[in-house]
Amino acid sequence: MTVEPVNARSILDAPAAASAAVTAGRPPIERRRRLSQSALAVANQRVRRAYSPIVITGVVRLVDFVMLSVIGVALYLGYMAPLAGFHWEYVGAIFGMTVTAVICFQAAEIYDVQIFRGQLRQMTRMISSWAFVFLLFIGVSFFAKLGGEISRLWLSAFFFLGLAALVAARLCLRALIRRWARQGRLDRRTVVVGSDHSGEKLIEALKVQEDSDIDVLGVFDDRNDNRALDTCAGSPKLGKIDDIVEFARRTRVDLVLFALPISAETRILEMLKKLWVLPVDIRLSAHTNKLRFRPRSYSYLGKVPTLDVFEAPITDWDMVMKWMFDHFVGALILLFAAPVMALVALAVKLDSPGPVLFRQKRFGFNNERIDVFKFRSLYHDQADPTAAKVVTKNDSRVTRVGRFIRKTSLDELPQLFNVVFKSNLSLVGPRPHAVQGKLQSRLFDEAVDGYFARHRVKPGITGWAQINGWRGEIDNEEKIQKRVEFDLYYIENWSVLFDLYILLKTPLALMTKNENAY
């Protein structure tokens, strides 16, 4: 038996290596695969949307700060201010105490979803930390010779009312967290690659941990010999590696965990060619590997060390910020664009018979099929909802008004309803292509490698590719390749400022880079 040499550098650079491998070797075309009965049984289970533990703990911190500040200021304004007048020093001291309380809660490690599920541990730590804050405040007041200026009644009321509010809030939070846990909203739905003894040891190590949020759905393996087990530590084998993509399209998968040794570098890269298009975290388990890197190189699932290969883009607070940007800015744009949309609707209606709006099936996040709305630009009897035939220059199917609104992209304005009300589009992102969109006789995913990786984020009305001139008709391979290239750059470099820059550049791009828009 020969063992492939370990190349530590290539494993640590796995994202770049896998991306290069994708362009070097042709991965299988993504099509609907027939899953096994066991995989279908898991995929067909009702699954609720996941909640981010990072966002939950951040919101709890904010609620603690606001709640304690409001209690302290309300007591001061209701009792102290009428007697001694208003002094900003008191308000500053209240905010200082609440900030110190949040810092102490963090130091006591009670801002953790697993801690929220318990009761005794978080209550004792919270009460101790809250008492420490007041002892610290009293000590500082004593040494600053301010003890005579501070109302003992106000201080006592602040301590006990604040403590009561904290306890009540934690009891409500505990009930909420337990409810979400029962619904599976806090679980990291995980599939393991490798149904051999290494995979079995990995799953056992994950399951033995208390309060683990890892929910192992099953294992996948290409091998059919005696090394591949039908069941790994109680988790069933659901199929082969090629089945993971289809499985993740049908149900929520948060993490793909490789139980393969680092020495199997070539085999791992071959698998990454197929899996990197998914909007999931991909990690390589280091649980049984003898080769050890610096502790800083690992991320941990409980106590199980792993090496990060790919991370799902735009998650946690980034997702919250993008949602807020889409809905608030989108609502403002929709408000200001309403008169223009009314005029375009009237022009479409007067120009040719048929409905004002046109609905088309397009690819959304994670290859979900979504309905996208546009102003109708083709004659109604020649509409092409499947985009079987692309619109070309001087296309006879396009109406007079249609030529203008397509050239200026005014036909895309109804997609603001998708952003604000349906939430299946973003303001900025890869443009959603028609499900049957083709380059000549080939579907787009047949024409360019890694095409489906652009669906790892929600599609947008405008995007990085569009403002760089890659919009309109796709009549050669370079145009679709460039779109995918720019879309992947956007995904890897996303920020709110990047979104704002693209949005502000869009009007100028529509006027100056519209030679391919027919």
Side-chain angles (χ1 to χ4, degrees), residues 180-347:
W180 289 343
R182 288 194 300 269
Q183 295 173 346
R185 293 183 182 273
L186 303 178
D187 292 337
R188 298 194 67 183
R189 291 169 60 86
T190 303
V191 298
V192 174
V193 176
S195 62
D196 54 11
H197 292 293
S198 295
E200 192 166 44
K201 290 181 180 179
L202 172 61
I203 295 173
E204 288 173 349
L206 293 172
K207 289 183 175 181
V208 76
Q209 299 179 112
E210 294 183 3
D211 297 327
S212 175
D213 61 349
I214 299 295
D215 179 17
V216 179
L217 304 179
V219 293
F220 291 82
D221 202 314
D222 282 340
R223 295 170 295 184
N224 292 317
D225 55 22
N226 54 10
R227 292 178 297 171
L229 306 174
D230 291 333
T231 303
C232 276
S235 298
K237 181 181 177 183
L238 300 179
K240 298 185 176 182
I241 306 304
D242 290 339
D243 297 324
I244 296 179
V245 173
E246 177 63 23
F247 183 77
R249 301 298 192 203
R250 290 173 178 254
T251 189
R252 195 189 96 218
V253 174
D254 303 308
L255 173 64
V256 175
L257 188 57
F258 282 81
L260 304 176
I262 294 177
S263 57
E265 178 183 346
T266 302
R267 187 177 169 209
I268 291 172
L269 289 176
E270 286 295 325
M271 295 178 183
L272 290 177
K273 291 182 195 178
K274 306 170 184 178
L275 302 181
W276 77 292
V277 299
L278 294 173
V280 301
D281 292 337
I282 300 179
R283 296 190 187 183
L284 178 62
S285 168
H287 181 58
T288 58
N289 289 319
K290 296 181 180 180
L291 178 63
R292 293 296 180 189
F293 301 112
R294 291 178 301 174
R296 207 179 307 178
S297 302
Y298 296 109
S299 59
Y300 288 85
L301 301 174
K303 296 182 179 180
V304 177
T306 63
L307 293 170
D308 293 341
V309 181
F310 285 110
E311 292 183 355
I314 313 182
T315 57
D316 301 325
W317 283 111
D318 288 344
M319 183 180 294
V320 174
M321 292 169 63
K322 188 166 180 63
W323 185 94
M324 294 175 63
F325 181 85
D326 286 339
H327 286 77
F328 293 148
V329 178
L332 289 175
I333 295 175
L334 182 59
L335 181 65
F336 286 114
V340 177
M341 294 174 67
L343 291 175
V344 173
L346 180 62

Side-chain angles (χ1 to χ4, degrees), residues 31 33 73-74 90 114 173 208 245-246 275 278 317 337 357 365 387 433 445 459:
R31 290 289 178 269
R33 291 179 59 87
V73 172
Y90 259 98
Q114 305 303 333
L173 178 63
V208 76
V245 173
E246 177 63 23
L275 302 181
L278 294 173
W317 283 111
L357 293 179
F365 172 71
H433 292 160
D445 65 297

Side-chain angles (χ1 to χ4, degrees), residues 6-308:
V6 175
N7 188 334
R9 181 71 257 171
S10 64
I11 292 297
L12 294 177
D13 290 340
S19 297
V22 167
T23 58
R26 177 73 177 131
I29 299 171
E30 176 163 308
R31 290 289 178 269
R32 290 284 184 182
R33 291 179 59 87
R34 179 172 295 180
L35 298 177
S36 65
Q37 290 299 318
S38 56
L40 283 173
V42 176
N44 291 334
Q45 294 173 357
R46 184 184 178 189
V47 180
R48 297 179 181 267
R49 185 167 60 90
Y51 291 153
S52 166
I54 293 175
V55 174
I56 292 173
T57 55
V59 170
V60 173
R61 290 185 185 93
L62 180 62
V63 168
D64 284 350
F65 173 78
V66 173
M67 180 177 65
L68 294 174
S69 297
V70 168
I71 291 172
V73 172
L75 288 172
Y76 173 69
L77 294 177
Y79 174 71
M80 290 289 296
L83 296 177
F86 182 81
H87 297 283
W88 283 106
E89 292 82 0
Y90 259 98
V91 177
I94 291 169
F95 286 131
M97 292 173 69
T98 54
V99 169
T100 305
V102 172
I103 293 173
C104 289
F105 293 161
Q106 178 66 46
E109 298 181 346
I110 65 172
Y111 286 129
D112 184 273
V113 171
Q114 305 303 333
I115 297 294
F116 295 156
R117 295 185 184 187
Q119 183 172 337
L120 180 62
R121 184 165 49 170
Q122 71 166 324
M123 290 299 181
T124 53
R125 292 183 183 184
M126 184 179 63
I127 294 171
S128 300
S129 299
W130 184 236
F132 173 78
V133 170
F134 277 79
L135 290 175
L136 182 64
F137 177 75
I138 293 170
V140 171
S141 301
F142 173 78
F143 285 107
K145 297 182 179 181
L146 299 174
E149 301 178 16
I150 298 173
S151 168
R152 293 172 178 81
L153 181 61
W154 168 81
L155 193 63
S156 300
F158 188 18
F159 175 79
F160 287 109
L161 285 179
L163 182 59
L166 286 170
V167 171
R170 283 303 188 276
L171 290 175
C172 294
L173 178 63
R174 177 174 177 264
L176 194 59
I177 291 295
R178 290 197 165 194
R179 177 185 175 187
W180 289 343
R182 288 194 300 269
Q183 295 173 346
R185 293 183 182 273
L186 303 178
D187 292 337
R188 298 194 67 183
R189 291 169 60 86
T190 303
V191 298
V192 174
V193 176
S195 62
D196 54 11
H197 292 293
S198 295
E200 192 166 44
K201 290 181 180 179
L202 172 61
I203 295 173
E204 288 173 349
L206 293 172
K207 289 183 175 181
V208 76
Q209 299 179 112
E210 294 183 3
D211 297 327
S212 175
D213 61 349
I214 299 295
D215 179 17
V216 179
L217 304 179
V219 293
F220 291 82
D221 202 314
D222 282 340
R223 295 170 295 184
N224 292 317
D225 55 22
N226 54 10
R227 292 178 297 171
L229 306 174
D230 291 333
T231 303
C232 276
S235 298
K237 181 181 177 183
L238 300 179
K240 298 185 176 182
I241 306 304
D242 290 339
D243 297 324
I244 296 179
V245 173
E246 177 63 23
F247 183 77
R249 301 298 192 203
R250 290 173 178 254
T251 189
R252 195 189 96 218
V253 174
D254 303 308
L255 173 64
V256 175
L257 188 57
F258 282 81
L260 304 176
I262 294 177
S263 57
E265 178 183 346
T266 302
R267 187 177 169 209
I268 291 172
L269 289 176
E270 286 295 325
M271 295 178 183
L272 290 177
K273 291 182 195 178
K274 306 170 184 178
L275 302 181
W276 77 292
V277 299
L278 294 173
V280 301
D281 292 337
I282 300 179
R283 296 190 187 183
L284 178 62
S285 168
H287 181 58
T288 58
N289 289 319
K290 296 181 180 180
L291 178 63
R292 293 296 180 189
F293 301 112
R294 291 178 301 174
R296 207 179 307 178
S297 302
Y298 296 109
S299 59
Y300 288 85
L301 301 174
K303 296 182 179 180
V304 177
T306 63
L307 293 170
D308 293 341

